[in-house]
């Protein structure tokens, strides 16, 4: 089985977040009160941070060469 890349995971999680946001909009629920949206947003944020750290690590390694 192929291991998912961070970017692939991010795309999947962003799709989930967009779906949850859309559902909240349809219900008229504020995002700040929707626990599912908040939790999914945390997952997306976490993946973004991981990707940024990987990019920084890669850039640093390239500069050292």
């Amino acid at each position: 089985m192929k291991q998912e890349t961070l970017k692939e995971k991010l795309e999947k999680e962003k799709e989930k977040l967009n779906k949850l946001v859309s559902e909240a909009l349809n219900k008229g629920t504020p995002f700040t009160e929707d626990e599912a949206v908040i939790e999914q947003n945390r997952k997306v944020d976490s993946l973004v941070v991981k990707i940024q750290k990987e990019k920084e690590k890669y850039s640093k390694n390239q500069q050292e060469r």
Side-chain angles (χ1 to χ4, degrees), residues 31-47:
F31 304 142
T32 57
E33 295 175 13
D34 191 317
E35 282 300 317
V37 171
I38 293 169
E39 183 60 33
Q40 190 61 32
N41 190 58
R42 286 185 184 128
K43 288 180 184 178
V44 170
D45 287 349
S46 175
L47 286 169

